[in-house]
Amino acid sequence: MHPVQRLTCSFQKWIGIAAAYPSQGPVNAAASPDEIRSAQAARRKSLQQAREEGWAAAMRAGLTGDTHAYGWFLEDATPYIRAVVRRRAGNRSAADVEDIVQDVLLALHLKRGSWNQSLPIGPWISTLTRNKIVDAHRKTKSMAHIPIDDLSDVLPATQEESSGDPDPDINGLLSRLRPQQREVVQMISVDGISVRDAASRLRMSEGAVYVTLHRAFKALAALYRGNAL
Amino acid sequence: MKTKELIRHLAKDSTLRWPFHRAFKLALAASLAITVLIYAALVGPRPDVLQAADSTRFLFKFVVTLSTATTAALLVARQSQPGSPLGLWRLAPITGPLLLIAAVIAELIASPPSAWASLTIGSNSLMCLTLIPLLAAGPLFCILIALRHGAPTHPGVAGATAGMLASAIAATFYASRCTDDSPLFVATWYPLASAFMVVTGYAIGRRMLRW
């Protein structure tokens, strides 16, 4: 069933896009700049609306088990989210922007049950995105006044040649993670077990393992910064 | 981690057993069940409940508590589903208190000033302050768990609304026990007991509902 649903989603989207470009006769030469501008704005608006209707249809299909439609939704919404994040990012690096984008995607995923299906999906996505951007701003604000020179002493200069044992410091940090996070990091990053195997051993879905791993890395980074200071 | 890769893995778990609206309905049902149980076991109705059912003052207590419960439930559901237009809904839960203020004014006109003090103090104030939080604790817990399935943008505020909903549910049951029916009593002690739950909800919500 899924390819059909998927097709329906993109079909809805394209119908909307086609409708946003009405076949006009020759361009009205007398159109004032204001008229053109408002026509462009209207077109942008209905384009966005069409896109959101496609996303909503895909999300509905996803929530009832169509993983392809759901994946398409996440993929198709990513550039939009990235554009929003970038616009509000100030002078962040591309990597930082991508971090926030991933945070937003995680939030969309973990909180997908918070979308009221009878409402348009756009405002839901925007609210979650805005929230994650604010979170990111708050985090950097609390770290903003640490001059980099102070960090150079404590940051490892270069990676020493790796011996068999992981750095004792790393073990110390790992022990401060939540049990489930520690288990996942231990399996995947230290023991080198594949995500799929780790998922079946922990009786979790692969997606959940990824989410846990992602969060564990964030927590580790925070712990590392905390230790270093 | 690459964003594409993340999406690929996230997409594998698209289904969801507990979308917010389902979790919230279950929480409301569980709240009622818990409150009924505790009420039946420890509280029970007042002895003259059948005669009281004829009194406007007695019935009015339920108008206040039920309108507060309904509006708080509708508001907290909106607060937990981002993208829901809030608008005037933000003010909805003050419907009950506004009705109560009107009733207080009516009571002040209807009763002699010499009776005001005794009507306000009543004889159940301590029981009101203990039973409402006691009955509200279970519902608050259930509702907060359900809100974790939503995504409240202001966790503390959503927690506070949950506290208001929980105490309104509790107060509805407590009102059938309490023999003080004067709006003066209701307007003094019920809000005090509810304020405690609202503050508790705010404090717990701030931590528990973050995402």
Side-chain angles (χ1 to χ4, degrees), chain A residues 34-179:
Chain A
D34 272 357
E35 276 169 346
I36 294 175
R37 220 169 292 136
S38 73
Q40 281 171 339
R43 177 178 298 170
R44 262 200 304 277
K45 201 170 159 197
S46 60
L47 271 178
Q48 180 61 21
Q49 204 181 344
R51 214 162 27 151
E52 286 175 12
E53 271 157 30
W55 292 342
M59 184 71 162
R60 271 188 212 105
L63 290 174
T64 50
D66 186 341
T67 52
H68 286 84
Y70 183 59
W72 175 83
F73 156 66
L74 289 176
E75 248 167 62
D76 205 61
T78 301
Y80 165 74
I81 295 166
R82 192 178 288 126
V84 174
V85 173
R86 200 175 284 152
R87 205 177 324 137
R88 305 249 242 126
N91 49 2
R92 278 165 201 278
S93 67
D96 284 350
V97 167
E98 209 53 29
D99 260 4
I100 302 176
V101 170
Q102 293 190 1
D103 268 356
V104 175
L105 286 168
L106 266 179
L108 291 180
H109 176 67
L110 294 170
K111 291 296 179 188
R112 64 198 183 283
S114 72
W115 171 47
N116 181 346
Q117 295 190 25
S118 58
L119 295 174
I121 201 170
W124 176 72
I125 299 176
S126 317
T127 310
L128 267 65
T129 307
R130 198 185 324 130
N131 231 39
K132 285 296 159 191
I133 295 173
V134 170
D135 272 4
H137 280 315
R138 209 172 286 150
K139 253 179 247 164
T140 37
K141 215 175 253 169
S142 62
M143 303 172 24
H145 41 74
I146 307 161
I148 194 75
D149 289 344
D150 292 352
L151 284 177
S152 57
D153 295 336
V154 286
L155 290 173
T158 47
Q159 193 58 53
E160 312 281 306
E161 87 283 6
S162 57
S163 53
D165 286 342
D167 195 319
D169 271 4
I170 298 273
N171 279 331
L173 288 179
L174 277 184
S175 68
R176 285 161 60 189
L177 288 176
R178 292 199 194 147

Side-chain angles (χ1 to χ4, degrees), chain B:
Chain B
M1 202 186 301
K2 288 263 163 45
T3 304
K4 276 241 161 66
E5 208 180 328
L6 178 71
I7 291 175
R8 200 160 51 79
H9 285 278
L10 293 182
K12 285 177 190 160
D13 308 337
S14 72
T15 39
L16 191 64
R17 276 183 63 188
W18 291 105
F20 173 76
H21 65 92
R22 194 179 298 162
F24 188 57
K25 277 173 203 149
L26 180 72
L28 290 182
S31 302
L32 281 183
I34 292 173
T35 320
V36 166
L37 276 179
I38 300 182
Y39 177 81
L42 299 177
V43 187
R46 59 198 255 188
D48 63 338
V49 68
L50 291 176
Q51 289 101 292
D54 285 337
S55 122
T56 321
R57 286 190 176 82
F58 178 73
L59 294 179
F60 186 74
K61 295 199 285 188
F62 297 97
V63 173
V64 174
T65 57
L66 288 175
S67 63
T68 307
T70 317
T71 47
L74 291 169
L75 173 64
V76 81
R78 279 174 172 70
Q79 286 170 330
S80 307
Q81 297 180 302
S84 317
L86 281 175
L88 281 177
W89 276 106
R90 267 182 278 251
L91 298 177
I94 65 168
T95 316
L98 284 180
L99 288 171
L100 192 53
I101 289 173
V104 165
I105 294 170
E107 178 81 335
L108 289 178
I109 294 169
S111 61
S114 57
W116 289 353
S118 65
L119 284 176
T120 307
I121 293 162
S123 48
N124 294 300
S125 53
L126 213 67
M127 193 155 74
C128 175
L129 290 184
T130 26
L131 281 185
I132 290 185
L134 179 80
L135 290 169
L140 180 62
F141 180 73
C142 296
I143 295 160
L144 285 174
I145 299 237
L147 294 201
R148 281 182 62 96
H149 292 262
T153 20
H154 301 285
V157 178
T161 316
M164 192 156 189
L165 170 55
S167 45
I169 294 174
T172 306
F173 283 87
Y174 172 72
S176 73
R177 158 84 204 198
C178 183
T179 48
D180 288 308
D181 296 338
S182 167
L184 295 179
F185 179 89
V186 177
T188 310
W189 301 104
Y190 282 50
L192 207 60
S194 307
F196 174 71
M197 293 316 289
V198 170
V199 171
T200 310
Y202 178 81
I204 302 178
R206 265 187 73 165
R207 288 189 189 82
M208 188 176 156
L209 300 179
R210 269 171 46 191
W211 45 276

